[in-house]
Amino acid sequence: MAEVEWRRMRAEELNVLAKRDPIAIVPIGALEQHGPHLPVEVDALLGEEVALRTARLLDQQGIAVTVLPMLWAGVSEHHMSLGGTITLSQAAMTAVVGDICRSLARQGFRRIVLFNAHGGNEAPLRVIARDLSPNLGAALVQLTYSLAAAEVVKPLLKSQSNVGHACEAETSLMMALRPELVAHDRIVSGLDASDSKESAASAGLYRWRSMAASTGSGVLGRPEAATRETGEALLEALPRRLAERLAEPVLWSMAA
């Protein structure tokens, strides 16, 4: 199995890799509150792990791939009122992600994936991908891993249809990956988005709200339903589906 972690490779190895039409995966997470029972590094930790597992599956298929170190800060203003959070502005995110992508393109990497692990980054990264793509000289794909593999997530969860925040899914993943970081005695049930009276009234509309306005605990979902077994199943299903999607030739061959 080839080395897929950018930070573990030497410059000459990366120069050779760039000539093999590789996929360069840029994981982007967040450092923010995750309720009373999970650490603030959840999005960064899970996003990097899923990205690496996805890359190793691509490598097994003979697809050249590398994963950059996790960009651990994201757009997290909506979590600031609950503490423990570092946030980037849209301008800062645009500048950092843009320079990373331009650096990759200048060195010959022509297939780049913005591999998102935080819901608050979804809209900013979509704008970044839209604005960068026409002049980047590389194909740029943006995804949020839980959404890009949604069809394999839903059947594995008992209390929700996809990943929320400090929820059944994220808590299960942490139980499987870093169980020592889960404070089981501090798990509280959070307000699920579907339970909110605002959800029906705001359909098709947008208004920014802080996380504290939606849930005082900082939890969206039902972490009490989490199990290590669910986490292990997610850690197997998510990378498998993401690797399938990133390996599809049509994803990279469509005219810009």
Side-chain angles (χ1 to χ4, degrees):
M1 183 178 295
E3 178 60 69
V4 300
E5 292 191 62
W6 178 286
R7 63 186 163 203
R8 295 172 61 90
M9 300 174 71
R10 294 181 289 277
E12 59 267 30
E13 294 174 312
L14 289 163
N15 291 338
V16 170
L17 180 66
K19 297 175 181 178
R20 297 179 53 205
D21 190 28
I23 296 174
I25 297 176
V26 183
I28 304 168
L31 193 67
E32 62 188 24
Q33 72 80 28
H34 269 77
H37 67 288
L38 293 179
V40 296
E41 68 169 336
V42 166
D43 290 345
L45 192 156
L46 295 179
E48 187 167 58
E49 182 67 21
V50 174
L52 287 169
R53 291 184 183 218
T54 300
R56 290 174 183 133
L57 291 173
L58 289 168
D59 174 66
Q60 290 174 16
Q61 299 176 52
I63 298 172
V65 61
T66 184
V67 181
L68 276 72
M70 166 60 69
L71 180 57
W72 54 263
V75 178
S76 300
E77 178 61 39
H78 53 305
H79 290 278
M80 286 294 290
S81 59
L82 291 168
T85 299
I86 302 296
T87 189
L88 297 181
S89 66
Q90 174 75 56
M93 175 71 88
T94 298
V96 171
V97 173
D99 282 348
I100 290 171
C101 291
R102 283 185 284 268
S103 295
L104 287 167
R106 287 174 61 189
Q107 295 173 80
F109 291 86
R110 296 289 178 257
R111 297 195 287 174
I112 302 171
V113 178
L114 302 181
F115 193 102
N116 179 41
H118 164 53
N121 292 338
E122 171 73 15
L125 288 175
R126 185 66 59 87
V127 172
I128 291 168
R130 181 201 67 193
D131 291 349
L132 271 179
S133 291
N135 301 306
L136 185 61
L140 184 58
V141 170
Q142 180 268 333
L143 66 84
T144 296
Y145 76 80
S146 60
L147 300 178
E151 70 271 27
V152 303
V153 174
K154 184 176 180 179
L156 296 175
L157 300 177
K158 297 184 288 291
S159 68
Q160 57 197 75
S161 59
N162 207 300
V163 178
H165 186 75
C167 58
E168 178 191 352
E170 288 190 332
T171 303
S172 294
L173 285 162
M174 289 296 291
M175 286 177 174
L177 190 63
R178 294 293 302 274
E180 75 280 9
L181 297 179
V182 181
H184 291 262
D185 60 336
R186 303 199 67 198
I187 290 176
V188 297
S189 183
L191 177 68
D192 200 22
S194 61
D195 295 336
S196 174
K197 295 179 180 178
E198 299 170 6
S199 60
S202 63
L205 309 176
Y206 171 75
R207 179 188 170 189
W208 183 90
R209 294 182 187 275
S210 71
M211 183 64 74
S214 299
T215 167
S217 68
V219 175
L220 282 176
R222 307 295 182 191
E224 67 273 22
T227 67
R228 179 170 187 158
E229 292 73 22
T230 297
E232 290 170 347
L234 287 167
L235 283 172
E236 180 179 347
L238 283 162
R240 184 173 64 249
R241 179 57 182 145
L242 293 166
E244 289 172 354
R245 298 201 67 186
L246 292 177
E248 293 173 357
V250 68
L251 178 66
W252 304 106
S253 64
M254 288 186 292

